[in-house]
Amino acid sequence: MDIGVLLPTGTAQWGPAGDARELVAFGRSAERAGFTSLFANDSLISPRVEALTMLAALAPVTDSVTLGTAALMPFLRRPVQAAQALASIDLLSAGRLVVTVGAGFPGRFGRPLYTLSELPWERRFARLDETVALWRALWDGADAFHGEILRFEDIPSTTRPHRAGGPPIWLGGATPAALARTGRMYDGWLPYPPDPADYASGLRSIREAATGAGRETDDIIPALFVSVRIDDDVENGRRTLDEYARATYGMPLEQLEEIQAVVTGSADQILEQLGRYVAAGARHIVARLGALDLHSQRDQLEQLAELIPALRAAADHAST
């Protein structure tokens, strides 16, 4: 069982008085506290430290934590250049990179970014899958790629990652099509369904697709992205999460809870709620801490760290 944390790279999360350089110290503190992964998200919707820049800064100053994206939107970058950047981070971290990818969402969280990237919204999922296939080909030494959308000839020798085949690539998404694609070609799954029952049914669909494609189901990591706020005063916790949702997404908590996994309450209540996802099959939790300044982020980090042994025990129990 892996327990990770989403780094508060957005300016809304580290506060107007915060220092972005403290994010490196935050990541190192998380590693010392027992977290096994550090993730950074990717967006042009709001100001933030860019995801790959953040992971590159952490690579040489951390020892064992997985460094991941949650989720990288490949269409924001030229595909060959992105392959080189990802391989470089994998090299700098000695093979600790995991790349979760996504194609963006309808509405203001996705479509305007395609306009900024000068790419069509149409066939975005096919473009995503071809980009991943291109990366893997380049990491294996290919000098050409012939897809339906992406076509390259005479590609110069590119940076090879630390690991043969490159870093694992996970998919963020829970539509039926995304589940089928995860089972066929991705190395992990990082969704955020509000209901653990939907997580369990999605994981079953992925494993069925994997079996149909001749893949081993155990080769696909079942992860979970979830917003967490530990607070003995449940109402205060919900108020804080509401402030977080409005600052991050411009929507109230009630609306965010309809589309994303959110848990709040006392430590025991958090364990119970996360335990339902563990029972549904989640084996890598990526927690987004519901706090709007670095001091509060650190406080939530320390409280969540105290729950790591119990979450691992719950995973052991579910596995047996």
Side-chain angles (χ1 to χ4, degrees):
M1 182 73 190
D2 284 299
I3 316 293
V5 63
L6 183 74
L7 295 158
T9 54
T11 56
Q13 285 78 56
W14 39 271
D19 185 338
R21 293 171 295 183
E22 289 296 313
L23 293 171
V24 174
F26 184 93
R28 295 180 69 184
S29 295
E31 182 177 42
R32 289 193 299 268
F35 291 90
T36 53
S37 62
L38 303 172
F39 279 76
N41 61 6
D42 191 26
S43 177
L44 293 180
I45 296 297
S46 59
R48 68 187 58 245
V49 175
E50 191 271 336
L52 300 187
T53 305
M54 185 74 253
L55 299 183
L58 285 165
V61 298
T62 54
D63 297 317
S64 60
V65 285
T66 294
L67 302 175
T69 60
L72 191 75
M73 292 183 283
F75 65 87
L76 296 178
R77 299 162 179 85
R78 298 293 185 184
V80 176
Q81 184 272 339
Q84 182 182 40
L86 293 168
S88 299
I89 296 172
D90 198 54
L91 282 170
L92 292 170
S93 65
R96 291 185 283 123
L97 180 65
V98 166
V99 185
T100 306
V101 297
F105 301 94
R108 66 185 179 91
F109 296 112
R111 192 157 190 162
L113 302 183
Y114 279 83
T115 300
L116 287 172
S117 301
E118 300 178 309
L119 290 174
W121 175 252
E122 293 74 25
R123 301 201 69 196
R124 61 192 183 277
F125 300 113
R127 179 181 294 275
L128 174 66
D129 291 346
E130 277 201 11
T131 299
V132 170
L134 169 65
W135 291 348
R136 288 170 168 163
L138 293 176
W139 293 335
D140 281 336
D143 59 5
F145 183 82
H146 304 108
E148 293 183 19
I149 299 173
L150 302 176
R151 301 184 67 83
F152 296 95
E153 299 284 354
D154 301 320
I155 302 173
S157 180
T158 56
T159 304
R160 302 289 286 272
H162 183 270
R163 287 165 290 182
I169 303 181
W170 300 358
L171 185 64
T175 65
L179 299 175
R181 288 161 52 232
T182 301
R184 290 196 308 270
M185 66 174 290
Y186 286 88
D187 303 306
W189 183 45
L190 183 61
Y192 43 66
D195 189 339
D198 291 331
Y199 187 95
S201 63
L203 187 56
R204 285 194 298 271
S205 296
I206 287 170
R207 288 171 172 167
E208 289 170 2
T211 300
R215 302 182 65 198
E216 294 292 333
T217 58
D218 288 344
D219 291 341
I220 302 172
I221 302 298
L224 170 74
F225 185 93
V226 56
S227 295
V228 177
R229 174 73 189 188
I230 303 174
D231 198 321
D232 289 333
D233 184 335
V234 175
E235 289 306 313
N236 183 68
R238 289 191 62 80
R239 282 193 299 271
T240 303
L241 276 176
D242 183 72
E243 294 172 2
Y244 185 95
R246 292 176 188 274
T248 304
Y249 292 107
M251 66 175 65
L253 176 60
E254 289 78 6
Q255 188 175 349
L256 181 66
E257 287 176 312
E258 294 177 358
I259 57 175
Q260 292 191 9
V262 178
V263 298
T264 187
S266 67
D268 287 343
Q269 290 171 320
I270 295 294
L271 278 175
E272 189 276 329
Q273 293 172 76
L274 291 179
R276 294 172 62 203
Y277 285 100
V278 172
R283 291 298 178 270
H284 193 140
I285 292 175
V286 180
R288 178 171 58 183
L289 306 175
L292 290 175
D293 61 77
L294 280 176
H295 175 76
S296 299
Q297 286 274 339
R298 291 190 192 95
D299 177 67
Q300 287 292 305
L301 184 77
E302 292 169 2
Q303 292 190 65
L304 183 58
E306 294 178 0
L307 305 185
I308 290 175
L311 286 169
R312 287 182 174 151
D316 290 341
H317 177 74
S319 298
T320 56

